[in-house]
Amino acid sequence: MAVRDIISNILDILFPSSCVACKAYLPRGMFICRACESAIPRNHTFFCSLCLARLPDGILRCHPRGFLFGAATEYREDAVRELILILKFKAARNAAEPLARMLAGYLREVGASFSDALLIPIPLSRERERERGFNQVEHIAKIAGAELSIAVAPHILRRTRNTKPQSEIRDHRERKDNVSGAFVLTDAGTVGGRTVIVVDDVRTSGATLAEAVRTLRSANPKRVIGVVVARA
């Protein structure tokens, strides 16, 4: 047995992991068992970004000024919420893997076209990324992109300032003002004429996704879709 395998086995004994749902023992670095991951309820359609009406055929008829919005699952699911919190605030990067699998599976099911698609994760400010050590959304997008064979372009959008976390703001108008003008395009040429899929971890009011979509539309993409792992 290699030395690193011995060390890994020792760490498994000293610092065992458990499933966030059923609490069963898991190898270190895993946070949910496959049975509990499979049991998480999933969504099966796109939604309107404005009224959240289900769009089984993926056609935006209710609010043409909106955009196709997708959510793999719901934030009220305890296991989903725990995985996202562990990823964001405990820097447990492996927690991104089940979240990315859910996102990739959802995009396959709703029939998103991937032939010319580009995944663009919502960027963090430099201060927030330095504080966390990584962008958790970019990590999710890269894993999902690899599973779907979709290119990921994390530097197309740049956050211009360190906005207040949306979860700390109750008022919808204040949330919208908080992210107004918060993004700039760094490479409009890559976006033009392509299907752009903007990725975030959680949607609360939808203000962050809406601002990112508005910014990307200035580059004349073929269409822009906003997706999240979980809808709050």
Side-chain angles (χ1 to χ4, degrees), residues 137-151:
V137 179
E138 180 179 333
H139 200 47
I140 291 170
K142 285 181 175 178
I143 297 171
E147 186 167 329
L148 296 167
S149 298
I150 305 178

Side-chain angles (χ1 to χ4, degrees), residues 140-223:
I140 291 170
K142 285 181 175 178
I143 297 171
E147 186 167 329
L148 296 167
S149 298
I150 305 178
V152 181
H155 304 299
I156 295 291
L157 279 182
R158 180 171 60 83
R159 194 178 283 256
T160 59
R161 63 182 189 276
N162 188 21
T163 55
K164 186 176 182 179
Q166 293 287 76
S167 60
E168 297 178 8
I169 305 172
R170 298 290 183 184
D171 183 74
H172 179 77
R173 170 54 61 180
E174 289 181 21
R175 287 186 176 205
K176 189 173 180 180
D177 292 343
N178 185 50
V179 294
S180 179
F183 305 111
V184 294
L185 274 171
T186 61
D187 185 1
T190 300
V191 173
R194 300 183 71 166
T195 296
V196 176
I197 304 174
V198 188
V199 180
D200 206 351
D201 50 2
V202 180
R203 179 197 189 273
T204 47
S205 68
T208 302
L209 271 182
E211 182 63 21
V213 168
R214 187 193 67 78
T215 303
L216 287 161
R217 278 177 168 168
S218 67
N220 297 313
K222 183 162 66 178
R223 66 172 176 167

